[in-house]
Amino acid sequence: MHVPTLTLWCFCMLVALASGSPGGRWPIGLGMSKYVSSFLGGAVININQTETTGKEEELPAIRTVSAEWNIPWSKAPDNADLSNPNNRHSLAQWVGILGNGCANKNWYPFLQAGTNIEMDEHGAIVAGAWVEWFPAGAHPIPKENFAVSPGDQIMVVVNVYTRILGHVYMKNLRTGQEYTAEVEADSPKDPKFQICLGSGVAQFFQEWDIAKDRENLPIFSNVTFSSMTTIDRRGEFYDLTSGTEDYWTMIDAGRQVAIPEGIDSKSFVVYSPQGKTWTPRGSH
Ligand SMILES: *[C@@H]1O[C@H](CO)[C@@H](O)[C@H](O)[C@H]1NC(C)=O
Ligand SMILES: *[C@@H]1O[C@H](CO)[C@@H](O)[C@H](O)[C@H]1NC(C)=O
């Protein structure tokens, strides 16, 4: 079985953060319009830092982000040579919490958790789940603790309690299996791991693990994020109609890879141009 190279996502994220976003800065401020990324497709909800006094000022703006989604299937084009790892795509689906006001503009610590799908040399797809406190690498969750398969509907809840402590809850809605974990930043004393104050960003993404432009794009079945929840430090709820949401389209070398499309206030779909009419065999 192919072992996911999860840490690569961080590397890619870092590269794009340093060079990709407008003004050289992620994530960009409140209420901005659409964004384009070569490896991220999805939606964000931006939240102002809440006005508080005393101790609470030291806490990131967003406390809770959650969503349900279906783990997608992916397939290779008929002519793809799958003995070449560059033709075997890896995709991740995740939610995360980030704060904007870092003292150093090159820091983007955030807590994220979600799923990933990997393709082997025969085109078979396997799925996994993971938790990551960026800029550390992803921690895969052992299958015996939380097992997921393509086609499963899962729920993931990410909480940030303090700048270095959080909590992750996952449930596989097909099997009923649950996973919970207290999470601490991998290097809690290092300021570049401490989630920043200032405005916060709730993240709902499909990510493409890509090290360089590939000949073939990933083809995946629709991923629908639903029951999306974003809660700020005071307990206020936000959704895709709050007026501070942004959609991110994934475009690589001029080619559309993943396109988000709003459904209602708490859901949107991410689709690939070649996969959007595909109903995978074996899907539930
Ligand atoms: C967020 O803060 C900015 C700047 O302080 C302000 O202009 C904007 O109205 C605020 N947005 C919301 C949704 O409160
Ligand atoms: C995938 O989503 C797109 C965009 O909403 C839609 O046009 C398409 O019918 C969906 N595909 C399936 C198989 O549901």
Side-chain angles (χ1 to χ4, degrees), residues 13-36:
M13 179 69 93
L14 197 60
V15 168
L17 295 180
S19 62
S21 51
R25 181 85 221 275
W26 154 306
I28 338 241
L30 298 170
M32 308 280 286
S33 52
K34 293 201 177 239
Y35 288 92
V36 168

Side-chain angles (χ1 to χ4, degrees), residues 25-27 47-50 52 54-62 97-105 107-109 160-164 191 193-201 233:
R25 181 85 221 275
W26 154 306
I47 309 288
N48 278 357
Q49 178 63 282
T50 52
T52 52
K55 226 175 124 189
E56 285 176 278
E57 280 171 25
E58 301 306 311
L59 297 175
I62 298 178
I97 295 176
L98 182 146
N100 269 318
C102 296
N104 182 322
K105 302 291 183 227
W107 294 344
Y108 310 94
V160 164
Y161 296 141
T162 71
R163 296 182 62 184
I164 55 165
F193 282 78
Q194 297 166 4
I195 293 179
C196 299
L197 308 179
S199 60
V201 183
R233 193 56 55 189

